[in-house]
Amino acid sequence: MPNITAAELRVLKALWRLESGTVRDVKEGLESEGGEPPAYTTVMTLMSQLAQKGVLAVDRLRQPFVYTPRLRREQVLSERLRDFLSTVFDGQAGELVLRLVEQADLSEEDLRRIEARIEKHQRSRDEDAGDRSEGRR
């Protein structure tokens, strides 16, 4: 997967919300997020860079050009999370989760979802362990 900068990721996230769009569409999407509005030429440059990296498909038959993400959101976010986990937490996923639970502003719903995911993961591990022990007999 190509390296995607923070600025490029912001543009890509806006395009995922749109599903496809022109430079102007993405610029307007970024402006609606608040903060300092990006210049049209900045958005155009970032989208061009993403296209050169193979992250965006460009329909050059249409005017203005229409861009479509080639990578799914989950692919990119999973890769970014793996990189972050490796770089910041030396691959220690448990440490990352503990920090999030301790320091992030998690709602009751967030905590329930985390607990449910942990229980599902534990059941899956228990079933896998049972399958392996039965296979040894």
Side-chain angles (χ1 to χ4, degrees), residues 7 10-18 20-47 56 65 67:
R10 186 171 175 233
V11 166
L12 185 55
K13 287 166 79 174
L15 199 51
W16 282 325
R17 285 189 294 276
L18 295 168
S20 68
T22 65
V23 172
R24 182 170 311 285
D25 295 334
V26 172
K27 180 183 182 316
E28 289 172 358
L30 292 170
E31 287 172 349
S32 71
E33 292 175 356
E36 187 167 334
Y40 181 91
T41 54
T42 301
V43 176
M44 184 173 60
T45 298
L46 291 168
M47 291 176 74
L56 299 181
F65 295 165
Y67 295 81

mmCIF file of all heavy atoms in Angstrom, residues 7 10-18 20-47 56 65 67:
data_model
loop_
_atom_site.group_PDB
_atom_site.id
_atom_site.type_symbol
_atom_site.label_atom_id
_atom_site.label_comp_id
_atom_site.label_asym_id
_atom_site.label_seq_id
_atom_site.Cartn_x
_atom_site.Cartn_y
_atom_site.Cartn_z
ATOM 1 N N ALA A 7 -2.489 14.866 5.039
ATOM 2 C CA ALA A 7 -3.302 15.744 4.177
ATOM 3 C C ALA A 7 -4.016 14.927 3.104
ATOM 4 O O ALA A 7 -5.189 15.172 2.800
ATOM 5 C CB ALA A 7 -2.424 16.819 3.539
ATOM 6 N N ARG A 10 -6.961 13.061 4.621
ATOM 7 C CA ARG A 10 -8.125 13.939 4.823
ATOM 8 C C ARG A 10 -8.933 14.062 3.528
ATOM 9 O O ARG A 10 -10.164 13.991 3.538
ATOM 10 C CB ARG A 10 -7.644 15.305 5.311
ATOM 11 C CG ARG A 10 -8.757 16.228 5.680
ATOM 12 C CD ARG A 10 -8.243 17.480 6.373
ATOM 13 N NE ARG A 10 -9.363 18.381 6.596
ATOM 14 C CZ ARG A 10 -9.393 19.637 6.217
ATOM 15 N NH1 ARG A 10 -8.343 20.189 5.638
ATOM 16 N NH2 ARG A 10 -10.456 20.374 6.439
ATOM 17 N N VAL A 11 -8.250 14.228 2.414
ATOM 18 C CA VAL A 11 -8.909 14.306 1.107
ATOM 19 C C VAL A 11 -9.581 12.977 0.777
ATOM 20 O O VAL A 11 -10.734 12.932 0.326
ATOM 21 C CB VAL A 11 -7.888 14.707 0.008
ATOM 22 C CG1 VAL A 11 -8.441 14.456 -1.384
ATOM 23 C CG2 VAL A 11 -7.478 16.159 0.174
ATOM 24 N N LEU A 12 -8.881 11.884 1.014
ATOM 25 C CA LEU A 12 -9.427 10.557 0.720
ATOM 26 C C LEU A 12 -10.672 10.276 1.554
ATOM 27 O O LEU A 12 -11.666 9.740 1.050
ATOM 28 C CB LEU A 12 -8.352 9.506 0.969
ATOM 29 C CG LEU A 12 -8.676 8.068 0.601
ATOM 30 C CD1 LEU A 12 -9.112 7.934 -0.854
ATOM 31 C CD2 LEU A 12 -7.459 7.173 0.874
ATOM 32 N N LYS A 13 -10.665 10.692 2.814
ATOM 33 C CA LYS A 13 -11.836 10.488 3.670
ATOM 34 C C LYS A 13 -13.035 11.274 3.143
ATOM 35 O O LYS A 13 -14.167 10.776 3.156
ATOM 36 C CB LYS A 13 -11.503 10.885 5.112
ATOM 37 C CG LYS A 13 -10.576 9.873 5.788
ATOM 38 C CD LYS A 13 -9.975 10.382 7.068
ATOM 39 C CE LYS A 13 -10.917 10.312 8.213
ATOM 40 N NZ LYS A 13 -10.263 10.689 9.494
ATOM 41 N N ALA A 14 -12.786 12.481 2.662
ATOM 42 C CA ALA A 14 -13.878 13.271 2.074
ATOM 43 C C ALA A 14 -14.416 12.570 0.829
ATOM 44 O O ALA A 14 -15.629 12.520 0.608
ATOM 45 C CB ALA A 14 -13.392 14.674 1.719
ATOM 46 N N LEU A 15 -13.535 11.992 0.042
ATOM 47 C CA LEU A 15 -13.969 11.310 -1.182
ATOM 48 C C LEU A 15 -14.705 10.008 -0.864
ATOM 49 O O LEU A 15 -15.653 9.646 -1.564
ATOM 50 C CB LEU A 15 -12.762 11.050 -2.097
ATOM 51 C CG LEU A 15 -13.045 10.776 -3.549
ATOM 52 C CD1 LEU A 15 -13.958 11.840 -4.166
ATOM 53 C CD2 LEU A 15 -11.766 10.686 -4.348
ATOM 54 N N TRP A 16 -14.318 9.312 0.190
ATOM 55 C CA TRP A 16 -15.070 8.122 0.601
ATOM 56 C C TRP A 16 -16.502 8.495 0.948
ATOM 57 O O TRP A 16 -17.428 7.766 0.613
ATOM 58 C CB TRP A 16 -14.422 7.441 1.806
ATOM 59 C CG TRP A 16 -13.212 6.606 1.493
ATOM 60 C CD1 TRP A 16 -12.997 5.848 0.377
ATOM 61 C CD2 TRP A 16 -12.066 6.438 2.314
ATOM 62 N NE1 TRP A 16 -11.782 5.230 0.464
ATOM 63 C CE2 TRP A 16 -11.189 5.569 1.638
ATOM 64 C CE3 TRP A 16 -11.695 6.940 3.553
ATOM 65 C CZ2 TRP A 16 -9.961 5.179 2.168
ATOM 66 C CZ3 TRP A 16 -10.478 6.560 4.075
ATOM 67 C CH2 TRP A 16 -9.622 5.684 3.392
ATOM 68 N N ARG A 17 -16.672 9.616 1.628
ATOM 69 C CA ARG A 17 -18.036 10.051 1.981
ATOM 70 C C ARG A 17 -18.850 10.350 0.720
ATOM 71 O O ARG A 17 -20.039 10.064 0.665
ATOM 72 C CB ARG A 17 -17.990 11.274 2.893
ATOM 73 C CG ARG A 17 -17.596 10.957 4.322
ATOM 74 C CD ARG A 17 -17.781 12.142 5.252
ATOM 75 N NE ARG A 17 -16.901 13.253 4.964
ATOM 76 C CZ ARG A 17 -15.652 13.374 5.401
ATOM 77 N NH1 ARG A 17 -15.131 12.440 6.167
ATOM 78 N NH2 ARG A 17 -14.928 14.432 5.096
ATOM 79 N N LEU A 18 -18.199 10.919 -0.278
ATOM 80 C CA LEU A 18 -18.880 11.272 -1.528
ATOM 81 C C LEU A 18 -19.048 10.073 -2.466
ATOM 82 O O LEU A 18 -19.901 10.085 -3.337
ATOM 83 C CB LEU A 18 -18.084 12.350 -2.275
ATOM 84 C CG LEU A 18 -17.976 13.711 -1.604
ATOM 85 C CD1 LEU A 18 -16.918 14.557 -2.305
ATOM 86 C CD2 LEU A 18 -19.324 14.406 -1.632
ATOM 87 N N SER A 20 -17.572 9.354 -5.097
ATOM 88 C CA SER A 20 -16.783 9.849 -6.226
ATOM 89 C C SER A 20 -17.085 11.331 -6.341
ATOM 90 O O SER A 20 -18.116 11.803 -5.864
ATOM 91 C CB SER A 20 -17.124 9.124 -7.530
ATOM 92 O OG SER A 20 -18.424 9.432 -7.954
ATOM 93 N N GLY A 21 -16.156 12.067 -6.960
ATOM 94 C CA GLY A 21 -16.398 13.495 -7.073
ATOM 95 C C GLY A 21 -15.271 14.231 -7.760
ATOM 96 O O GLY A 21 -14.208 13.675 -8.032
ATOM 97 N N THR A 22 -15.529 15.483 -8.032
ATOM 98 C CA THR A 22 -14.562 16.373 -8.650
ATOM 99 C C THR A 22 -13.731 17.048 -7.560
ATOM 100 O O THR A 22 -14.042 16.922 -6.365
ATOM 101 C CB THR A 22 -15.282 17.457 -9.470
ATOM 102 O OG1 THR A 22 -16.043 18.270 -8.564
ATOM 103 C CG2 THR A 22 -16.202 16.852 -10.525
ATOM 104 N N VAL A 23 -12.728 17.788 -7.979
ATOM 105 C CA VAL A 23 -11.922 18.549 -7.028
ATOM 106 C C VAL A 23 -12.825 19.511 -6.249
ATOM 107 O O VAL A 23 -12.734 19.616 -5.024
ATOM 108 C CB VAL A 23 -10.789 19.311 -7.751
ATOM 109 C CG1 VAL A 23 -10.068 20.257 -6.789
ATOM 110 C CG2 VAL A 23 -9.807 18.333 -8.389
ATOM 111 N N ARG A 24 -13.720 20.172 -6.946
ATOM 112 C CA ARG A 24 -14.629 21.118 -6.283
ATOM 113 C C ARG A 24 -15.513 20.411 -5.252
ATOM 114 O O ARG A 24 -15.725 20.920 -4.149
ATOM 115 C CB ARG A 24 -15.501 21.842 -7.312
ATOM 116 C CG ARG A 24 -16.437 22.871 -6.673
ATOM 117 C CD ARG A 24 -17.136 23.765 -7.677
ATOM 118 N NE ARG A 24 -16.250 24.360 -8.656
ATOM 119 C CZ ARG A 24 -15.414 25.380 -8.437
ATOM 120 N NH1 ARG A 24 -15.360 25.923 -7.242
ATOM 121 N NH2 ARG A 24 -14.652 25.850 -9.392
ATOM 122 N N ASP A 25 -16.030 19.219 -5.598
ATOM 123 C CA ASP A 25 -16.862 18.455 -4.655
ATOM 124 C C ASP A 25 -16.091 18.156 -3.374
ATOM 125 O O ASP A 25 -16.614 18.306 -2.262
ATOM 126 C CB ASP A 25 -17.316 17.135 -5.271
ATOM 127 C CG ASP A 25 -18.227 17.296 -6.466
ATOM 128 O OD1 ASP A 25 -18.923 18.325 -6.561
ATOM 129 O OD2 ASP A 25 -18.235 16.373 -7.321
ATOM 130 N N VAL A 26 -14.852 17.713 -3.537
ATOM 131 C CA VAL A 26 -14.026 17.363 -2.379
ATOM 132 C C VAL A 26 -13.700 18.617 -1.573
ATOM 133 O O VAL A 26 -13.770 18.609 -0.340
ATOM 134 C CB VAL A 26 -12.750 16.612 -2.820
ATOM 135 C CG1 VAL A 26 -11.790 16.428 -1.650
ATOM 136 C CG2 VAL A 26 -13.122 15.267 -3.429
ATOM 137 N N LYS A 27 -13.360 19.697 -2.254
ATOM 138 C CA LYS A 27 -13.068 20.961 -1.573
ATOM 139 C C LYS A 27 -14.265 21.396 -0.726
ATOM 140 O O LYS A 27 -14.118 21.774 0.432
ATOM 141 C CB LYS A 27 -12.706 22.046 -2.579
ATOM 142 C CG LYS A 27 -12.393 23.393 -1.943
ATOM 143 C CD LYS A 27 -12.109 24.440 -3.007
ATOM 144 C CE LYS A 27 -11.737 25.790 -2.462
ATOM 145 N NZ LYS A 27 -12.515 26.307 -1.369
ATOM 146 N N GLU A 28 -15.452 21.327 -1.299
ATOM 147 C CA GLU A 28 -16.661 21.702 -0.555
ATOM 148 C C GLU A 28 -16.897 20.766 0.623
ATOM 149 O O GLU A 28 -17.322 21.202 1.698
ATOM 150 C CB GLU A 28 -17.865 21.729 -1.495
ATOM 151 C CG GLU A 28 -17.825 22.883 -2.474
ATOM 152 C CD GLU A 28 -18.906 22.815 -3.550
ATOM 153 O OE1 GLU A 28 -19.698 21.841 -3.569
ATOM 154 O OE2 GLU A 28 -18.942 23.741 -4.385
ATOM 155 N N GLY A 29 -16.617 19.487 0.430
ATOM 156 C CA GLY A 29 -16.747 18.532 1.530
ATOM 157 C C GLY A 29 -15.791 18.842 2.660
ATOM 158 O O GLY A 29 -16.154 18.759 3.837
ATOM 159 N N LEU A 30 -14.569 19.216 2.320
ATOM 160 C CA LEU A 30 -13.584 19.586 3.338
ATOM 161 C C LEU A 30 -13.978 20.876 4.047
ATOM 162 O O LEU A 30 -13.801 21.005 5.259
ATOM 163 C CB LEU A 30 -12.199 19.737 2.702
ATOM 164 C CG LEU A 30 -11.573 18.442 2.183
ATOM 165 C CD1 LEU A 30 -10.322 18.736 1.362
ATOM 166 C CD2 LEU A 30 -11.275 17.487 3.312
ATOM 167 N N GLU A 31 -14.526 21.815 3.302
ATOM 168 C CA GLU A 31 -14.962 23.081 3.908
ATOM 169 C C GLU A 31 -16.087 22.858 4.899
ATOM 170 O O GLU A 31 -16.171 23.534 5.928
ATOM 171 C CB GLU A 31 -15.410 24.057 2.820
ATOM 172 C CG GLU A 31 -14.254 24.620 2.019
ATOM 173 C CD GLU A 31 -14.702 25.447 0.818
ATOM 174 O OE1 GLU A 31 -15.910 25.409 0.477
ATOM 175 O OE2 GLU A 31 -13.841 26.104 0.226
ATOM 176 N N SER A 32 -16.957 21.904 4.618
ATOM 177 C CA SER A 32 -18.087 21.644 5.515
ATOM 178 C C SER A 32 -17.637 21.030 6.838
ATOM 179 O O SER A 32 -18.386 21.035 7.811
ATOM 180 C CB SER A 32 -19.118 20.744 4.833
ATOM 181 O OG SER A 32 -18.616 19.422 4.711
ATOM 182 N N GLU A 33 -16.412 20.498 6.881
ATOM 183 C CA GLU A 33 -15.881 19.927 8.123
ATOM 184 C C GLU A 33 -15.484 21.011 9.115
ATOM 185 O O GLU A 33 -15.259 20.734 10.282
ATOM 186 C CB GLU A 33 -14.637 19.075 7.835
ATOM 187 C CG GLU A 33 -14.913 17.819 7.065
ATOM 188 C CD GLU A 33 -13.630 17.084 6.720
ATOM 189 O OE1 GLU A 33 -12.514 17.595 7.015
ATOM 190 O OE2 GLU A 33 -13.728 15.994 6.150
ATOM 191 N N GLY A 34 -15.339 22.232 8.635
ATOM 192 C CA GLY A 34 -14.890 23.319 9.494
ATOM 193 C C GLY A 34 -13.383 23.478 9.395
ATOM 194 O O GLY A 34 -12.716 22.819 8.618
ATOM 195 N N GLY A 35 -12.868 24.346 10.192
ATOM 196 C CA GLY A 35 -11.438 24.620 10.139
ATOM 197 C C GLY A 35 -11.120 25.531 8.963
ATOM 198 O O GLY A 35 -12.012 26.075 8.308
ATOM 199 N N GLU A 36 -9.853 25.671 8.691
ATOM 200 C CA GLU A 36 -9.435 26.547 7.612
ATOM 201 C C GLU A 36 -9.746 25.900 6.269
ATOM 202 O O GLU A 36 -9.364 24.757 6.016
ATOM 203 C CB GLU A 36 -7.939 26.838 7.704
ATOM 204 C CG GLU A 36 -7.479 27.865 6.709
ATOM 205 C CD GLU A 36 -6.099 28.378 7.014
ATOM 206 O OE1 GLU A 36 -5.694 28.332 8.186
ATOM 207 O OE2 GLU A 36 -5.438 28.822 6.076
ATOM 208 N N PRO A 37 -10.460 26.603 5.392
ATOM 209 C CA PRO A 37 -10.812 26.005 4.099
ATOM 210 C C PRO A 37 -9.567 25.849 3.219
ATOM 211 O O PRO A 37 -8.737 26.757 3.139
ATOM 212 C CB PRO A 37 -11.793 27.003 3.485
ATOM 213 C CG PRO A 37 -11.546 28.279 4.200
ATOM 214 C CD PRO A 37 -10.991 27.935 5.548
ATOM 215 N N PRO A 38 -9.426 24.686 2.590
ATOM 216 C CA PRO A 38 -8.260 24.468 1.730
ATOM 217 C C PRO A 38 -8.419 25.207 0.402
ATOM 218 O O PRO A 38 -9.528 25.434 -0.068
ATOM 219 C CB PRO A 38 -8.274 22.955 1.502
ATOM 220 C CG PRO A 38 -9.717 22.584 1.622
ATOM 221 C CD PRO A 38 -10.300 23.527 2.642
ATOM 222 N N ALA A 39 -7.303 25.579 -0.187
ATOM 223 C CA ALA A 39 -7.324 26.202 -1.505
ATOM 224 C C ALA A 39 -7.653 25.150 -2.553
ATOM 225 O O ALA A 39 -7.291 23.981 -2.411
ATOM 226 C CB ALA A 39 -5.966 26.831 -1.809
ATOM 227 N N TYR A 40 -8.329 25.568 -3.590
ATOM 228 C CA TYR A 40 -8.699 24.660 -4.680
ATOM 229 C C TYR A 40 -7.450 23.976 -5.227
ATOM 230 O O TYR A 40 -7.443 22.762 -5.445
ATOM 231 C CB TYR A 40 -9.417 25.449 -5.784
ATOM 232 C CG TYR A 40 -9.863 24.598 -6.938
ATOM 233 C CD1 TYR A 40 -11.124 24.025 -6.954
ATOM 234 C CD2 TYR A 40 -9.021 24.363 -8.030
ATOM 235 C CE1 TYR A 40 -11.543 23.241 -8.018
ATOM 236 C CE2 TYR A 40 -9.426 23.572 -9.091
ATOM 237 C CZ TYR A 40 -10.687 23.012 -9.083
ATOM 238 O OH TYR A 40 -11.094 22.224 -10.129
ATOM 239 N N THR A 41 -6.387 24.743 -5.442
ATOM 240 C CA THR A 41 -5.165 24.167 -6.021
ATOM 241 C C THR A 41 -4.518 23.149 -5.085
ATOM 242 O O THR A 41 -3.922 22.176 -5.547
ATOM 243 C CB THR A 41 -4.143 25.270 -6.379
ATOM 244 O OG1 THR A 41 -3.915 26.082 -5.218
ATOM 245 C CG2 THR A 41 -4.647 26.136 -7.525
ATOM 246 N N THR A 42 -4.658 23.350 -3.784
ATOM 247 C CA THR A 42 -4.120 22.388 -2.820
ATOM 248 C C THR A 42 -4.868 21.066 -2.925
ATOM 249 O O THR A 42 -4.252 19.997 -2.963
ATOM 250 C CB THR A 42 -4.220 22.945 -1.384
ATOM 251 O OG1 THR A 42 -3.494 24.167 -1.312
ATOM 252 C CG2 THR A 42 -3.699 21.957 -0.364
ATOM 253 N N VAL A 43 -6.189 21.138 -2.972
ATOM 254 C CA VAL A 43 -6.999 19.922 -3.101
ATOM 255 C C VAL A 43 -6.677 19.227 -4.417
ATOM 256 O O VAL A 43 -6.505 18.007 -4.468
ATOM 257 C CB VAL A 43 -8.504 20.247 -2.984
ATOM 258 C CG1 VAL A 43 -9.352 19.002 -3.215
ATOM 259 C CG2 VAL A 43 -8.811 20.858 -1.621
ATOM 260 N N MET A 44 -6.542 20.001 -5.503
ATOM 261 C CA MET A 44 -6.230 19.433 -6.804
ATOM 262 C C MET A 44 -4.871 18.724 -6.775
ATOM 263 O O MET A 44 -4.729 17.609 -7.290
ATOM 264 C CB MET A 44 -6.220 20.538 -7.862
ATOM 265 C CG MET A 44 -5.988 20.029 -9.272
ATOM 266 S SD MET A 44 -6.183 21.314 -10.529
ATOM 267 C CE MET A 44 -4.938 22.492 -10.026
ATOM 268 N N THR A 45 -3.890 19.336 -6.138
ATOM 269 C CA THR A 45 -2.561 18.731 -6.040
ATOM 270 C C THR A 45 -2.609 17.431 -5.236
ATOM 271 O O THR A 45 -2.025 16.413 -5.643
ATOM 272 C CB THR A 45 -1.575 19.716 -5.379
ATOM 273 O OG1 THR A 45 -1.478 20.879 -6.210
ATOM 274 C CG2 THR A 45 -0.197 19.097 -5.205
ATOM 275 N N LEU A 46 -3.301 17.448 -4.103
ATOM 276 C CA LEU A 46 -3.403 16.249 -3.271
ATOM 277 C C LEU A 46 -4.118 15.120 -4.013
ATOM 278 O O LEU A 46 -3.697 13.960 -3.945
ATOM 279 C CB LEU A 46 -4.118 16.574 -1.960
ATOM 280 C CG LEU A 46 -3.333 17.460 -0.993
ATOM 281 C CD1 LEU A 46 -4.233 17.966 0.129
ATOM 282 C CD2 LEU A 46 -2.128 16.723 -0.433
ATOM 283 N N MET A 47 -5.171 15.451 -4.744
ATOM 284 C CA MET A 47 -5.899 14.427 -5.487
ATOM 285 C C MET A 47 -5.042 13.891 -6.632
ATOM 286 O O MET A 47 -5.067 12.690 -6.921
ATOM 287 C CB MET A 47 -7.237 14.980 -5.972
ATOM 288 C CG MET A 47 -8.191 15.215 -4.810
ATOM 289 S SD MET A 47 -9.750 15.974 -5.267
ATOM 290 C CE MET A 47 -10.584 14.614 -6.059
ATOM 291 N N LEU A 56 -6.459 6.719 -6.223
ATOM 292 C CA LEU A 56 -7.679 7.217 -6.858
ATOM 293 C C LEU A 56 -7.683 6.855 -8.338
ATOM 294 O O LEU A 56 -6.645 6.910 -8.998
ATOM 295 C CB LEU A 56 -7.783 8.742 -6.741
ATOM 296 C CG LEU A 56 -7.839 9.361 -5.357
ATOM 297 C CD1 LEU A 56 -7.966 10.878 -5.467
ATOM 298 C CD2 LEU A 56 -8.974 8.782 -4.540
ATOM 299 N N PHE A 65 -12.685 16.441 -14.324
ATOM 300 C CA PHE A 65 -12.356 15.051 -14.019
ATOM 301 C C PHE A 65 -13.104 14.585 -12.770
ATOM 302 O O PHE A 65 -13.302 15.352 -11.825
ATOM 303 C CB PHE A 65 -10.858 14.886 -13.763
ATOM 304 C CG PHE A 65 -9.983 15.166 -14.948
ATOM 305 C CD1 PHE A 65 -8.633 15.362 -14.774
ATOM 306 C CD2 PHE A 65 -10.480 15.223 -16.244
ATOM 307 C CE1 PHE A 65 -7.796 15.615 -15.849
ATOM 308 C CE2 PHE A 65 -9.659 15.477 -17.334
ATOM 309 C CZ PHE A 65 -8.302 15.673 -17.124
ATOM 310 N N TYR A 67 -13.060 11.762 -9.746
ATOM 311 C CA TYR A 67 -12.151 10.867 -9.015
ATOM 312 C C TYR A 67 -12.962 9.871 -8.190
ATOM 313 O O TYR A 67 -13.979 10.220 -7.603
ATOM 314 C CB TYR A 67 -11.258 11.685 -8.088
ATOM 315 C CG TYR A 67 -10.322 12.618 -8.805
ATOM 316 C CD1 TYR A 67 -10.761 13.856 -9.282
ATOM 317 C CD2 TYR A 67 -8.991 12.278 -9.006
ATOM 318 C CE1 TYR A 67 -9.895 14.721 -9.932
ATOM 319 C CE2 TYR A 67 -8.124 13.140 -9.661
ATOM 320 C CZ TYR A 67 -8.585 14.358 -10.119
ATOM 321 O OH TYR A 67 -7.731 15.214 -10.769
#
